[in-house]
Amino acid sequence: MPQPPVRAYVGLGANLGDSAATLRQVLAQLEATPGIAGVTASPFYRSAPVDATGPDFINAVAALDTVLAPLALLDVLQALEHEHGRLRPYRNAPRTLDLDLLLHGDAQLDHERLILPHPRLHLRAFVLLPLRDLAPDLSVHGKPMDAWIGAIHDQPIERLAG
């Protein structure tokens, strides 16, 4: 019997090239991926790099329904990063595309390739604000989203029009 779909949330970011166009293209590619349906994106945000240098990022979060297991979904995300020219010359390097699996249903996973829920999602304005746009009542690491958002007020971020 097939597994019912679960709701997953994916963080999207880019700070090289036409970042907004790349994110729009990736959202369409996710929607067209077998095993993924119902892709909904938050508004786009502009944010300064965290623990890194380089141009500002364009960020968003996508909610999607998937029958893919967490590691299979991670494989899809990493293949999309590769397709869009993602290089990893050093930690937190500027990037053409960054896709992070934030949540996969209620899954808790501590694997060498993937930790769920994402261990730093509650520390980043560029994740919390777009995630709140999609799921304002979601709890993150056992706390309501707004409890975390108060702690990230010092991170510069701007919601983009359109």
Side-chain angles (χ1 to χ4, degrees), residues 11 30 46 60 64 103 107 111:
L30 285 169
R46 179 184 322 280
L64 53 90
L103 298 162
H111 186 274

Side-chain angles (χ1 to χ4, degrees), residues 69-74 77-78 100-102 104 108-119:
L71 290 173
L73 182 54
L74 179 66
L77 299 177
Q78 289 179 340
D100 289 323
L101 182 52
L102 305 171
H104 189 282
Q108 294 190 18
L109 183 65
D110 189 353
H111 186 274
E112 65 186 20
R113 294 184 55 216
L114 179 63
I115 298 173
L116 289 173
H118 190 288

Side-chain angles (χ1 to χ4, degrees), residues 46-128:
R46 179 184 322 280
S47 65
V50 175
D51 299 330
T53 59
D56 285 351
F57 275 86
I58 303 299
N59 295 100
V61 169
L64 53 90
D65 297 318
T66 185
V67 295
L68 300 175
L71 290 173
L73 182 54
L74 179 66
D75 289 340
V76 167
L77 299 177
Q78 289 179 340
L80 286 169
E81 287 178 337
H82 180 75
E83 179 181 332
H84 286 273
R86 167 82 187 260
L87 301 175
R88 299 174 190 267
Y90 55 90
R91 182 171 164 75
N92 295 330
R95 52 204 76 143
T96 55
L97 182 62
D98 185 24
L99 300 173
D100 289 323
L101 182 52
L102 305 171
L103 298 162
H104 189 282
D106 294 329
Q108 294 190 18
L109 183 65
D110 189 353
H111 186 274
E112 65 186 20
R113 294 184 55 216
L114 179 63
I115 298 173
L116 289 173
H118 190 288
R120 292 176 303 284
L121 75 93
H122 64 292
L123 302 174
R124 307 288 196 237
F126 63 82
V127 172
L128 286 174

Side-chain angles (χ1 to χ4, degrees), residues 9 103 121-122 124-125 127-152:
Y9 293 92
L103 298 162
L121 75 93
H122 64 292
R124 307 288 196 237
V127 172
L128 286 174
L129 296 180
L131 185 57
R132 180 177 64 181
D133 290 333
L134 294 174
D137 298 325
L138 190 68
S139 289
V140 175
H141 294 301
K143 289 186 183 179
M145 190 132 13
D146 286 338
W148 296 114
I149 288 175
I152 48 93

